Amino acid sequence: MRLPDCLGAPYPRLALYLPHRPNDLAQLLDAPSASALIAANSNHWRKIVTLLAKIASPVADDWRNFRDQALFQQTALCFAPQLSDTAAWHWIGGKDNLQRFANLHHNAQPLPNSPEVLIDPEKQLLLTPYPDYRQLSNALVAQIRTVLDDEGFYRT
């Protein structure tokens, strides 16, 4: 059985690209949920889906409810090294992961005071360190949200 390249919404507002798949991916396909993904995997995946929720949640302070109720109705985790044709915004997490996207041409520019995070509004591309609390602090998440808000992400 060939596992799919994405888990979550078929037309996500935000797709997070990662270099590896979670455990029990096949069982998550019919009804993807953050709680099921976390239960079948490690704390590492809890951090990933929490950071995805913190960035994608339409209301910043409601990220927990968004993660638990709507995360995979509006976002997707993608594992192949090519951008999905169906995603509105693309988030590639990690420098090593970015290297897998050999043919990706972009004009991403660093955020002010955060050279490790780059954004290309034209291609709707967000490049960050790997989604982990040590590399993506709450302050950095807030800065990313501000830039995405400026680009209309939360109004669509």
Side-chain angles (χ1 to χ4, degrees), residues 52-155:
L52 178 56
K54 284 183 174 185
I55 289 176
S57 177
V59 179
D61 293 340
D62 196 34
W63 65 264
R64 285 178 186 87
N65 185 52
F66 179 79
R67 179 194 61 200
D68 298 341
Q69 303 299 320
L71 183 68
F72 290 121
Q73 294 168 12
Q74 297 185 32
T75 69
L77 296 172
C78 296
F79 314 106
Q82 70 233 13
L83 299 184
S84 167
D85 292 337
T86 63
W89 275 83
H90 309 276
W91 172 11
I92 300 175
K95 287 182 183 178
D96 291 342
N97 188 26
L98 179 59
Q99 299 306 313
R100 299 184 320 134
F101 292 78
N103 296 321
L104 179 63
H105 302 286
H106 61 83
N107 292 313
Q109 298 299 312
L111 296 185
N113 303 316
S114 299
E116 68 276 19
V117 175
L118 298 98
I119 190 165
D120 182 340
E122 185 178 314
K123 294 206 180 203
Q124 296 184 305
L125 182 64
L126 174 65
L127 307 174
T128 72
Y130 192 81
D132 183 272
Y133 298 147
R134 293 172 297 214
Q135 298 178 74
L136 289 176
S137 66
N138 284 335
L140 192 50
V141 166
Q143 192 176 4
I144 292 168
R145 287 186 59 85
T146 297
V147 171
L148 288 176
D149 189 34
D150 291 346
E151 295 300 326
F153 178 79
Y154 301 105
R155 292 185 292 276

Side-chain angles (χ1 to χ4, degrees), residues 2-10 12 15-17 21-22 25 28-29 32 72 75-80 82-87:
R2 184 178 181 276
L3 291 174
D5 290 333
C6 291
L7 172 69
L16 171 58
Y17 299 84
R21 300 168 195 270
L25 181 59
L28 294 166
L29 294 177
F72 290 121
T75 69
L77 296 172
C78 296
F79 314 106
Q82 70 233 13
L83 299 184
S84 167
D85 292 337
T86 63

